[in-house]
Amino acid sequence: MSVHKVVKKITTHILQEMKLKGEKISMLTAYDFSMARIVDAAGIDIILVGDSASNVMAGHETTLPITLDQMIYHAGSVIRATNRALVVVDLPFGSYQGNSKEALNSAIRIMKEAEAHAVKLEGGREVRESVERILSAGIPVMGHLCLTPQSIYKFGTYTVRAKEDEEAKRLIEDAHILQEAGCFAIVLEKIPYKLAAQVASELTIPIIGIGAGNGVDGQVLVLHDMLGINNEFSPRFLRRYANLYEVITSAVQNYVKDVKAKDFPNDSEQY
Ligand code: KIV
């Protein structure tokens, strides 16, 4: 029987067990109560309250503008909807880069005010001290390497990272550093699948990929992308499991039509 099927609550230890048993880990984003309730009940292992909320929920062009208060608001809504999944919350841009004390204070606010289960932050060797300090307070930390959207203005583009040897070597080193610092898992975003598979086989902690191929320990997607709510974003790595943009458009059009035609509400829909 798979670990996924028998477990009532996913913990970082369960994720480690899944890696050992070769059982893939499923992870999706959610930012609000209603969606998180569906995603959790459907059996997802990890819900990420990603700073992609900045794009998806608030319409910003990048993840940079979202604030710690806004992340805590989203995280609290998700936590109230979740019974089984491990809920990981992104530390937003500007809430941890200053120094490790700032990182710890931000992580504590997320755990205390939203009652989250873990935090995620972007970066390798440069965040090592912060990872260790957050962990020293008993807060599990997930890493995030390669295409780290909070550094988009440094990269200049959202294209595949670590195609050159030098960046690939640095990535492997950073992944080891994060593991030694105590991260319970690492997200690798948009890198060649062979490199991602190499990292997953070298490291003992779970490696979760987005655009990182099938040789890693689990997969993460942005919920609104995989549901086809956002139909303007079509990277190669994205598989769409629904076309909710069309479903919602047609439902709204039918509602407008019925209201205009005085067909809604009908006799059975009124008091
Ligand atoms: O914020 C987010 O949605 C993420 C995923 C892309 C991993 O960090």
Side-chain angles (χ1 to χ4, degrees):
M1 175 81 79
S2 73
V3 177
H4 165 88
K5 290 249 161 63
V6 292
V7 160
K8 287 209 175 72
K9 253 196 189 317
I10 302 288
T11 63
T12 57
H13 301 280
I14 297 290
L15 299 174
Q16 186 64 51
E17 202 181 321
M18 285 183 179
K19 166 138 186 163
L20 281 174
K21 293 195 168 153
E23 186 179 328
K24 299 278 186 182
I25 297 163
S26 62
M27 170 164 155
L28 281 172
T29 63
Y31 319 103
D32 67 282
F33 180 86
S34 306
M35 286 290 197
R37 197 158 61 149
I38 298 171
V39 169
D40 183 60
I44 203 75
D45 296 317
I46 307 175
I47 295 180
L48 172 66
V49 184
D51 58 0
S52 51
S54 178
N55 315 86
V56 176
M57 302 305 283
H60 293 294
E61 209 170 297
T62 72
T63 59
L64 276 68
I66 199 160
T67 65
L68 184 57
D69 284 339
Q70 288 164 340
M71 288 302 296
I72 290 170
Y73 167 79
H74 287 297
S77 308
V78 168
I79 282 285
R80 285 189 289 279
T82 306
N83 289 315
R84 181 182 170 278
L86 183 86
V87 178
V88 181
V89 181
D90 264 335
L91 285 172
F93 178 69
S95 74
Y96 63 97
Q97 288 91 347
N99 54 55
S100 62
K101 187 163 184 282
E102 178 186 60
L104 175 61
N105 288 342
S106 301
I108 287 178
R109 280 200 61 201
I110 286 175
M111 301 299 282
K112 214 176 175 64
E113 295 174 39
E115 300 183 74
H117 306 146
V119 297
K120 173 163 88 58
L121 46 70
E122 297 184 3
R125 60 202 73 193
E126 67 279 13
V127 295
R128 178 184 189 133
E129 196 185 312
S130 296
V131 170
E132 286 170 345
R133 192 141 182 196
I134 295 170
L135 267 161
S136 72
I139 302 171
V141 183
M142 177 181 269
H144 185 160
L145 291 168
C146 312
L147 178 59
T148 44
Q150 290 178 13
S151 304
I152 187 57
Y153 290 114
K154 182 178 86 180
F155 298 140
T157 141
Y158 285 101
T159 53
V160 180
R161 304 298 317 171
K163 278 168 48 182
E164 306 302 329
D165 287 351
E166 202 182 316
E167 195 181 339
K169 184 170 165 280
R170 192 177 164 88
L171 155 68
I172 294 167
E173 284 168 8
D174 277 342
H176 281 278
I177 288 169
L178 290 181
Q179 173 170 277
E180 278 158 27
C183 281
F184 72 88
I186 301 174
V187 167
L188 296 185
E189 181 162 354
K190 233 174 167 186
I191 56 165
Y193 74 95
K194 281 191 184 153
L195 178 60
Q198 183 187 340
V199 175
S201 76
E202 282 186 21
L203 266 62
T204 55
I205 58 172
I207 301 299
I208 317 282
I210 173 163
N214 206 4
V216 290
D217 306 304
Q219 300 294 329
V220 55
L221 285 175
V222 168
L223 182 68
H224 291 61
D225 296 339
M226 63 83 82
L227 291 179
I229 294 179
N230 170 13
N231 64 0
E232 282 155 21
F233 181 62
S234 288
R236 176 191 175 120
F237 68 77
L238 175 63
R239 185 180 294 180
R240 282 218 175 84
Y241 287 84
N243 190 342
L244 288 198
Y245 185 92
E246 270 178 21
V247 172
I248 295 170
T249 302
S250 138
V252 173
Q253 284 171 341
N254 285 332
Y255 170 72
V256 170
K257 184 163 69 58
D258 289 352
V259 169
K260 302 283 177 195
K262 301 180 184 158
D263 179 55
F264 175 79
N266 62 23
D267 286 350
S268 69
E269 290 162 333
Q270 60 195 4
Y271 299 100

